[in-house]
Amino acid sequence: MSATTEKAAMNPVYRKRLMTHRIGIALSVLGMAIGLIVLAWILITLAVKGFGALSLHMFTQTTPAPGSEGGGLMNAIVGSLMIVTLSTLISTPIGILAGIYLAEYGNENKVASVTRFVTDIMLSAPSIVIGMFVWAMYVATAKHYSGYAGSIALALIAVPVVVRTTDNMLRLVPNSLLEAAFALGAPRWKVAMMVRLRAVKAGVITGVLLAVARISGETAPLLFTALNNQFFSADMNAPMANLPVVIYGFAMSPYDNWRELAWGGALLVTFSVLALNIISRTLFAQKAPN
């Protein structure tokens, strides 16, 4: 150890900062360890209780009536797929176009600033509030629950996620690339769509997948909009079964087979969301363009 290092080590200010640094690192590692332990606990419990409910009947039979044996989650699985798919088809073009607008004109007018502010509010808004809003605007007017109402509620949750992701990704495109496109005489809309968006398309797809993962397990909005349906139905203009609401109802029931199906449904939703997150962070991972 050199004389300079020894002198610095004896400095009380240096020793105090070093101690603070070590305490901060220790607390960070402890917090990370606690989070990982809790996450592992949840996943292990879910796997132990959920895998026992996985069977062919769960995917081929509808939800059982109260007190009956057997049954499955076919109607809830199909209903969730239809609702989430429609909400994705609604939210993706709206979110991407809004994100392009914010990236292109975000620093030029107050409308873009207001749009970004409203988007941030919607990102933090409780999902149950969005469900109540759709219920008041759509369900109460139509006087019946429906899969369409559920899709609208989930789309309102997904749109701000896609908007912010698209906006942030487009801002990573270097100005030199845009200037080169403008120098060739390309209009601004073509530069935005054909150059800027194409350069970060993987990041935008990641945002869409994260939005799908975000809405796949939402329960509160669907309680106010799609409600539930014990029978199989592909009619989006009527109450429709969906996994989150079925899990919520079955988990609190006094019937053993209902609770078992709830664990199976929870496992299915959890691993589906996990798969979407893994896909979005691996296959479509993209760094800032050079």
Side-chain angles (χ1 to χ4, degrees), residues 3-185:
T4 304
T5 306
E6 291 180 356
K7 185 177 180 180
M10 296 300 295
N11 190 322
V13 176
Y14 170 80
R15 296 175 62 184
K16 181 179 179 180
R17 290 179 177 176
L18 181 61
M19 181 61 67
T20 304
H21 169 73
R22 289 175 176 173
I23 292 174
I25 293 296
L27 291 176
S28 299
V29 172
L30 178 62
M32 180 185 67
I34 293 174
L36 290 176
I37 291 172
V38 173
L39 177 61
W41 185 14
I42 294 173
L43 291 178
I44 291 173
T45 303
L46 188 61
V48 170
K49 293 182 177 293
F51 274 116
L54 293 181
S55 66
L56 183 62
H57 295 298
M58 193 177 82
F59 298 94
T60 58
Q61 297 182 6
T62 58
T63 50
S68 62
E69 296 296 330
L73 299 173
M74 181 186 67
N75 54 331
I77 294 172
V78 174
S80 287
L81 288 175
M82 294 179 65
I83 292 173
V84 171
T85 299
L86 180 58
S87 65
T88 303
L89 294 176
I90 295 173
S91 62
T92 298
I94 296 175
I96 291 177
L97 291 175
I100 294 173
Y101 175 79
L102 292 179
E104 289 292 327
Y105 303 99
N107 300 323
E108 299 181 9
N109 56 63
K110 292 184 178 180
V111 176
S113 300
V114 173
T115 303
R116 186 175 285 111
F117 177 72
V118 172
T119 301
D120 292 337
I121 292 177
M122 290 183 65
L123 275 173
S124 57
S127 59
I128 192 171
V129 175
I130 295 177
M132 292 180 63
F133 170 77
V134 177
W135 178 87
M137 295 292 102
Y138 186 99
V139 177
T141 303
K143 300 186 184 303
H144 64 85
Y145 298 94
S146 66
Y148 289 128
S151 295
I152 293 173
L154 295 184
L156 290 177
I157 298 174
V159 164
V161 178
V162 180
V163 170
R164 293 301 291 169
T165 304
T166 304
D167 181 22
N168 292 334
M169 292 304 301
L170 290 175
R171 290 178 180 275
L172 296 177
V173 179
N175 290 329
S176 58
L177 181 63
L178 304 179
E179 291 170 356
F182 285 126
L184 294 174

